């Protein structure tokens, strides 16, 4: 007998259904593209050079479409942490197989929490970029990559045996820092001259909580709430006065109080805070 824990939720069933439809659509699209390639290569109306050029164009467009569809799908799905790490190893396989760099992988625990698609994609990109940045140093021979999960964050550790001269502000780490920052994560870089550099990256698995409404963090009167919403909509003082049937001087008074209460220095900053916090 199936327990309630084994029965997928409506949201999960919807995700599975969407995934199945996406796979079916991809299969149909790729079948058409392959048939198109065959038609071009078999065509008696094209010489070899024209057929080759046309086939390359079709294949290139198909590849772009495939990658875009894959990225879009992965961003909405979740990946077991061990699967995400296996995909990372596969990404780095050519570098390990054909390069001079010794890449060591420390597997994450199989019981680690599954990763949201966006986090899994970003984590792989961060590691790939980090390995390339560390390997760029002439003296680097070995890089160790470790993933772990504490239930709330993906913990990434990357260490090399290079000259130990990297800092967080180096240009080669800028794309990595931007990706980490975009996910509200943290990046620490530790270097010891002659011993190598270490990157410690923490990526939260849950989106940051919504900020409290401005109305919940400061005490506002009913009229101030009305003025704040209109300021957030971009209305000027005259329009606010007409809509609320009060004088422009009264609007100015309320706006001044709102600036003070919100800790904003300009009307634009107040509008931005209002849009961010009360939507």
């Amino acid at each position: 007998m199936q327990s309630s824990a084994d029965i997928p939720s409506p949201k999960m069933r919807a995700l599975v259904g969407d995934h199945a439809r996406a796979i079916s659509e991809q299969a149909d699209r790729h079948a058409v593209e392959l048939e198109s390639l065959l038609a071009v290569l078999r065509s008696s109306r094209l010489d070899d050079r024209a057929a080759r050029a046309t086939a390359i164009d079709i294949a290139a467009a198909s590849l772009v479409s495939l990658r875009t569809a894959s990225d879009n799908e992965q961003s909405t799905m979740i990946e077991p942490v061990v699967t995400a790490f296996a995909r990372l190893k596969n990404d780095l396989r050519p570098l390990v197989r054909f390069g001079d760099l010794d890449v060591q992988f420390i597997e994450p625990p199989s019981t680690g929490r599954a990763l949201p698609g966006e986090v899994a994609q970003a984590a792989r990109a961060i590691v790939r970029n980090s390995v390339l940045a560390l390997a760029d140093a002439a003296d680097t021979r070995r890089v160790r990559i470790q993933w772990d999960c504490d239930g709330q964050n993906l913990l990434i550790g990357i260490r090399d045996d290079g000259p130990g001269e990297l800092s967080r502000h180096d240009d080669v780490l800028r794309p990595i820092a931007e990706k980490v920052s975009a996910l509200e994560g943290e990046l620490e870089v530790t270097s010891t001259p002659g011993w190598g550099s270490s990157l410690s990256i923490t990526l939260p698995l849950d989106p940051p909580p919504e900020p409290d409404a401005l109305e919940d963090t400061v005490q506002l009167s009913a009229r101030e709430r009305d003025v704040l919403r209109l300021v957030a909509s971009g209305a000027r003082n005259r329009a606010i006065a007409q809509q609320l049937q009060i004088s422009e001087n009264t609007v100015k008074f309320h706006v001044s109080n709102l600036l003070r209460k919100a800790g904003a220095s300009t009307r634009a900053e107040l509008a931005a805070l209002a849009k961010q916090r009360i939507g």
Side-chain angles (χ1 to χ4, degrees), residues 152-208:
Q152 294 181 324
N153 304 282
L154 175 62
L155 309 175
I156 302 173
I158 307 169
R159 180 176 177 80
D160 74 352
D161 63 349
E165 297 172 350
L166 275 181
S167 76
R168 192 182 190 283
H169 305 291
D170 284 352
D171 288 341
V172 293
L173 295 183
R174 184 175 301 168
I176 299 164
E178 289 175 354
K179 283 185 173 65
V180 172
S181 178
L183 290 175
E184 305 289 337
E186 297 179 0
L187 167 65
E188 294 184 5
V189 180
T190 305
S191 293
T192 304
W195 288 90
S197 300
S198 295
L199 279 62
S200 297
I201 300 159
T202 302
L203 299 179
L205 302 183
D206 296 308

Side-chain angles (χ1 to χ4, degrees), residues 190-227:
T190 305
S191 293
T192 304
W195 288 90
S197 300
S198 295
L199 279 62
S200 297
I201 300 159
T202 302
L203 299 179
L205 302 183
D206 296 308
E210 290 293 328
D212 293 334
L214 188 56
E215 297 176 10
D216 295 336
T217 57
V218 296
Q219 186 174 359
L220 301 179
S221 67
R223 181 61 77 192
E224 285 173 338
R225 293 191 185 96
D226 294 336
V227 172

Side-chain angles (χ1 to χ4, degrees), residues 74-155:
Q74 288 298 329
S75 66
T76 61
M77 302 295 287
I78 60 173
E79 291 186 59
V81 64
V82 290
T83 302
F85 194 74
R87 291 186 63 186
L88 169 67
K89 292 171 66 175
N90 189 60
D91 291 344
L92 294 174
R93 183 174 297 167
L95 183 63
V96 175
R97 183 176 180 183
F98 301 109
D100 296 328
L101 194 65
D102 177 16
V103 182
Q104 302 174 347
F105 297 96
I106 310 300
E107 301 277 349
S110 59
T111 55
R113 178 180 165 186
L115 309 180
E118 182 183 12
V119 174
Q121 283 186 319
R124 287 191 290 269
I126 287 167
V127 173
R128 289 194 301 266
N129 291 340
S130 299
V131 170
L132 292 175
L134 295 173
D136 196 45
D139 296 335
T140 300
R141 294 289 179 267
R142 184 180 299 109
V143 173
R144 187 184 69 180
I145 301 168
Q146 180 172 4
W147 278 18
D148 203 346
C149 187
D150 65 3
Q152 294 181 324
N153 304 282
L154 175 62
L155 309 175

Side-chain angles (χ1 to χ4, degrees), residues 11-38:
K11 183 177 181 180
M12 181 57 68
R13 287 197 298 270
L15 281 173
V16 172
D18 290 343
H19 178 66
R21 282 190 293 273
I23 292 295
S24 177
E25 290 172 3
Q26 277 191 31
D28 291 342
R29 186 164 56 249
H30 297 326
V32 171
E33 289 161 349
L34 289 173
E35 289 289 348
S36 300
L37 280 173
L38 289 174

